[in-house]
Amino acid sequence: MADDKESQLGRLGKALDLLAKKILEDEKVIGDEFPYVTEPSGVWRTMPASLSAGYRPEGWSHGNWFCGFWVGLLLASYLWKKDDRYLKLAGERMKLVAQRAEDGNTHDIGFIFWSSAIPFYRITGDASHRDIALKAADQLRRRIVVTPRGSYLASWGPLSDPRGRSASAIDTMANIPLLYWASKASGDASFDLTGIAHAEMTRNFIRPDNSTYHAVEYDPASGKRVRGYTFQGYQDESFWSRGQCWAVYGYAATAAVTGETKYRDLAEALGERFLQRLGKDRIPPYDFDDPDPKRPLDTAASAIMASAFLDVAALHHDAETRDAWRDRALMLLEPLITDALAREDSHRGLLKHGCYSWPHRDGADSAVMFGDYFFVEALCKLLLPGKLVDTPAPLGS
Ligand code: GLY
C-alpha cells in the first residue's frame, strides 16, 4: 500500500514534468496572448490578458479570467524544475496580467490574482506583486452588495448595471481567497469580513440535498433570494459539477480563516454529495443531471475538488480523518493521470476532457486553463507543500 502511494506520487511528479516541458514549447508560439481552451484539433485558443468581461448583445461574456492561471503554471514549473527560465517568463507574463488589477467588471479578478501575483509574492518576496494583488482585492471587495438579509459579492458586470448587481455565482466562492489573503497581507480585517459575509449568504445556493445552484438572483434592496438558475449547467435545477467544487474550495478557505468548524462541515457535506453523485464513475460529467449519454466530462471539476479536499484534509488534527480526505483527493486525481493526461504533443494543455461551457458549446472536451491550474495546484499541495499556495492550519490549533 505504501509502495502504491509512493508510485502514485511519482506519477504525479511526472505530470509536473510534462507541464514544464509543454509550457516552454507553448511559450515559443503563443505570442502575447494567453491560452484558455483547446480547439478540437488540440491547439490552444488564446485571448489577450486585457479582455475584460461585459454584457454583449449575445449575453454575458466572461472575458479573460484565465491569464493568471498561466502565470501560476509557469511559477509551479519554476518551483518544480528550479529553472530560472520559468520565473523570467512568469515575470514577463505578469506585466501583461497586472493591468487587470483595476478591473471592476468581474468577480473573476479573484481567480486572476490568486493564481499569479500572490504566489509570485510568496516565491520572490517582491512587494510589487503584493501591491498588485492588494489592488485587485480592493476591486473585489467593492463588489459587495449590503442588504438587510446579509451581504453578497455581485459576480457579473459593474455594480452600476442592475443585471450585475442582482447576480451572484457559485464561482465567487473560489474568488474570495483573494480577500482572505489580502486581510492577512494588509492587516485590514474588512477584506475578511467581506469574504465571510459572502460565504454566509451563499448558503442561499445550497439545495436541501446539498447540491448547489450555479447562480442566485437577489433583490438587492431587500436581499431576498428571487431564484436559483444556471449559466453553464444543464438546467436551473440541475447539478453543475464544477460549481459544487468552487463551493467546497471557498468553504474550506472560509473555515481556515475563521477557525470555525461549521464551514469545514459545510465543505465536507458538499464534497460528500459530489462523491455520492460521482458514484463508481472515474470522472464527473459536466452536469450530473444531463441525461444525454453523450454529455461531456469535466476533468476540471475533479482537479478543483481534489485541491479543495487537500485543504479540507489540512484543516483536521486527527490523522485518520486527514488521511481520509487526502485519499479522496488522490482518488480524484488518479483517473486524471491515467485517463486524461495530454501526453501527446498534438494536444496542448495537461488535462483532456475538461468542459468550459456545454450550453455555449465553448471548450467542451478540451483542455481548459482553470482545469490545468487547479490540477497543478493540487499536485503542488502534495509534492511542494506550502510553496505555491499556503497550507491551512488545522482548526483549533
Ligand atoms: N466562471 C467559472 C467557471 O466557468 O467555472
Side-chain angles (χ1 to χ4, degrees):
M1 193 66 183
D3 274 359
D4 283 357
K5 287 234 163 102
E6 281 294 299
S7 69
Q8 187 177 34
L9 291 182
R11 276 179 288 131
L12 300 182
K14 287 210 167 61
L16 288 181
D17 289 340
L18 184 64
L19 164 72
K21 171 183 171 295
K22 286 182 118 175
I23 207 163
L24 274 188
E25 292 166 358
D26 288 338
E27 274 291 345
K28 293 198 179 107
V29 295
I30 58 175
D32 281 351
E33 296 205 344
F34 287 71
Y36 69 109
V37 297
T38 53
E39 301 271 11
S41 67
V43 303
W44 279 124
R45 232 182 263 165
T46 61
M47 58 169 92
S50 57
L51 191 67
S52 184
Y55 289 99
R56 320 259 190 258
E58 63 283 6
W60 174 249
S61 166
H62 285 89
N64 190 345
W65 60 283
F66 312 90
C67 50
F69 298 134
W70 189 252
V71 177
L73 293 176
L74 284 164
L75 292 172
S77 304
Y78 167 69
L79 291 169
W80 183 242
K81 290 292 183 189
K82 301 189 179 66
D83 177 339
D84 284 341
R85 280 180 300 171
Y86 296 102
L87 193 61
K88 187 162 175 289
L89 286 166
E92 286 161 13
R93 290 278 165 190
M94 194 64 224
K95 285 188 201 137
L96 297 168
V97 172
Q99 60 188 304
R100 297 294 301 285
E102 298 193 46
D103 186 343
N105 280 340
T106 173
H107 68 144
D108 285 333
I109 195 165
F111 284 124
I112 297 175
F113 292 93
W114 171 252
S115 54
S116 62
I118 295 175
F120 225 136
Y121 176 53
R122 184 175 295 111
I123 291 167
T124 63
D126 178 343
S128 69
H129 298 302
R130 185 198 56 198
D131 296 347
I132 289 168
L134 283 175
K135 206 190 279 184
D138 180 47
Q139 287 294 343
L140 184 56
R141 181 175 53 180
R142 285 164 193 252
R143 302 190 66 77
I144 197 79
V145 179
V146 178
T147 86
R149 287 182 170 76
S151 305
Y152 62 92
L153 290 159
S155 301
W156 298 317
L159 285 195
S160 52
D161 188 315
R163 291 169 296 185
R165 206 175 167 76
S166 58
S168 184
I170 198 68
D171 336 0
T172 310
M173 285 300 290
N175 281 290
I176 57 178
L178 173 67
L179 297 175
Y180 297 152
W181 170 87
S183 219
K184 239 199 238 165
S186 67
D188 178 347
S190 70
F191 288 113
D192 270 354
L193 293 175
T194 306
I196 296 162
H198 177 79
E200 244 334 287
M201 191 91 173
T202 298
R203 288 177 187 275
N204 282 310
F205 285 63
I206 303 174
R207 302 188 183 102
D209 70 352
N210 277 336
S211 66
T212 45
Y213 285 97
H214 181 176
V216 160
E217 181 184 335
Y218 291 108
D219 168 20
S222 66
K224 271 197 191 142
R225 182 184 178 289
V226 177
R227 66 182 177 124
Y229 64 105
T230 199
F231 191 70
Q232 281 151 267
Y234 168 60
Q235 54 174 225
D236 290 346
E237 290 303 322
S238 69
F239 190 142
W240 180 49
S241 57
R242 190 163 71 248
Q244 191 87 356
C245 308
W246 296 136
V248 175
Y249 194 92
Y251 279 119
T254 306
V257 142
T258 58
E260 293 202 46
T261 49
K262 66 179 180 183
Y263 295 117
R264 187 181 66 190
D265 293 346
L266 206 44
E268 292 181 357
L270 301 182
E272 275 159 8
R273 184 67 188 135
F274 177 92
L275 292 178
Q276 276 168 6
R277 288 303 305 267
L278 183 63
K280 290 194 169 39
D281 286 346
R282 293 166 61 74
I283 296 173
Y286 87 96
D287 190 309
F288 287 113
D289 291 322
D290 184 339
D292 183 347
K294 294 209 179 84
R295 64 191 181 181
L297 300 174
D298 187 8
T299 49
S302 296
I304 297 158
M305 196 61 109
S307 186
F309 280 177
L310 291 169
D311 285 347
V312 171
L315 291 168
H316 284 277
H317 269 296
D318 166 56
E320 205 176 310
T321 316
R322 210 171 48 224
D323 288 351
W325 282 102
R326 188 183 146 99
D327 285 349
R328 287 176 188 133
L330 289 169
M331 185 196 82
L332 291 173
L333 291 173
E334 180 65 21
L336 303 185
I337 299 280
T338 52
D339 305 356
L341 211 53
R343 293 188 170 86
E344 60 274 52
D345 283 347
S346 56
H347 196 304
R348 305 316 293 173
L350 277 187
L351 289 183
K352 299 190 275 191
H353 315 309
C355 180
Y356 182 22
S357 182
W358 182 235
H360 301 88
R361 298 298 190 266
D362 189 5
D365 202 19
S366 300
V368 293
M369 186 42 55
F370 45 90
D372 280 10
Y373 172 77
F374 284 96
F375 176 56
V376 166
E377 189 185 89
L379 301 187
C380 288
K381 285 176 183 175
L382 288 160
L383 301 172
L384 299 163
K387 299 274 195 240
L388 186 73
V389 287
D390 279 341
T391 310
L395 299 191
S397 57

